[in-house]
Amino acid sequence: IGHRFDPASPSQHSESWAAAARGERAEVTMGRHAEYKGVWYSQNDRIYVADLNEVHVVDAADAHRLDAWRSLAIGGEVHESVELEGVFGLDDEHVWAFGAAGDPGYVWCFDGRSWSDAAQLDGDVVAIHGARPDLVYAVGMDGFAARWDGRAWTSLEAVEGDLRDVHVVSDDEVYAVSEDGGLFRQQASSWSEIARFPGAGSQIDNP
């Protein structure tokens, strides 16, 4: 995802685009006057992109055609007051969109046909990751963390600092990174700091 904007202009005047690798070059697709917040690529070669208001999807083979992208409208009164922070999926029948209206945060799940009702969480959600449909974690500001067990979200022990990303390996191996460079691991429902890096932390990938 790329962004281009004038700091003196309103966010709606910014431009974002999604780019895909084509051999040795990057092919830019879906350039719009919007702020893209996250992207997820499914095993069925579909691309999901979240902007502040909605999630868009396209088959990867058609991503270069702007008219091939379609909006997955979330709808509902809650959604109207929420700015989305991103999108994550396990497959095309388990896709989560998430965001916040200040505090609390909200999560929706797309089952391939429609979105679930909004689930209200106890913190401001900025990242979601999971390993199975019944093993999904959400993290966010003020150390917020919650787990989805396939039926409901449960808030967990808070971590010191603002969490920026989470990566779920298994039931007993979950990692989170904080904005101030802390790397945490959860085992037996308890978080422990396992490393600290200089500078800001932002993303975890395949720890």
Side-chain angles (χ1 to χ4, degrees):
I1 292 178
H3 302 282
R4 180 174 65 85
F5 65 96
D6 179 350
S9 299
S11 61
Q12 65 266 29
H13 294 165
S14 66
E15 181 183 31
S16 297
W17 61 89
R22 300 287 184 184
E24 297 182 352
R25 56 191 291 269
E27 181 177 286
V28 175
T29 69
M30 199 186 171
R32 295 173 63 241
H33 286 290
E35 183 177 348
Y36 292 165
K37 302 295 288 186
V39 60
W40 177 70
Y41 195 106
S42 82
Q43 300 94 321
N44 291 329
D45 293 325
R46 292 193 181 98
I47 303 169
Y48 295 78
V49 174
D51 62 28
L52 290 174
N53 302 304
E54 54 192 350
V55 176
H56 310 269
V57 63
V58 70
D59 290 332
D62 297 325
H64 63 285
R65 293 175 36 224
L66 186 58
D67 63 351
W69 289 82
R70 60 189 178 93
S71 172
L72 302 177
I74 295 176
E77 293 183 6
V78 170
H79 172 247
E80 294 176 1
S81 63
V82 173
E83 289 190 350
L84 296 182
E85 284 288 342
V87 60
F88 166 76
L90 292 168
D91 54 50
D92 292 292
E93 296 181 352
H94 297 89
V95 180
W96 286 268
F98 52 94
D103 188 1
Y106 293 91
V107 177
W108 294 263
C109 185
F110 183 72
D111 64 4
R113 297 176 299 276
S114 61
W115 293 97
S116 66
D117 293 336
Q120 180 177 318
L121 275 61
D122 295 330
D124 187 348
V125 182
V126 299
I128 285 183
H129 189 264
R132 306 188 307 265
D134 63 348
L135 182 60
V136 179
Y137 277 68
V139 298
M141 307 303 287
D142 297 320
F144 170 75
R147 173 177 170 165
W148 171 256
D149 63 5
R151 298 185 301 269
W153 287 96
T154 301
S155 294
L156 305 173
E157 172 192 3
V159 178
E160 184 176 346
D162 294 331
L163 296 179
R164 304 302 300 173
D165 199 13
V166 61
H167 189 96
V168 181
V169 180
S170 67
D171 293 83
D172 297 321
E173 191 174 3
V174 180
Y175 299 90
V177 64
S178 65
E179 191 170 44
D180 60 357
L183 178 62
F184 301 86
R185 178 175 179 175
Q186 187 191 62
Q187 291 178 293
S189 300
S190 178
W191 292 99
S192 59
E193 185 175 316
I194 60 174
R196 182 160 291 273
F197 304 96
S202 62
Q203 188 173 358
I204 305 174
D205 189 21
N206 296 325

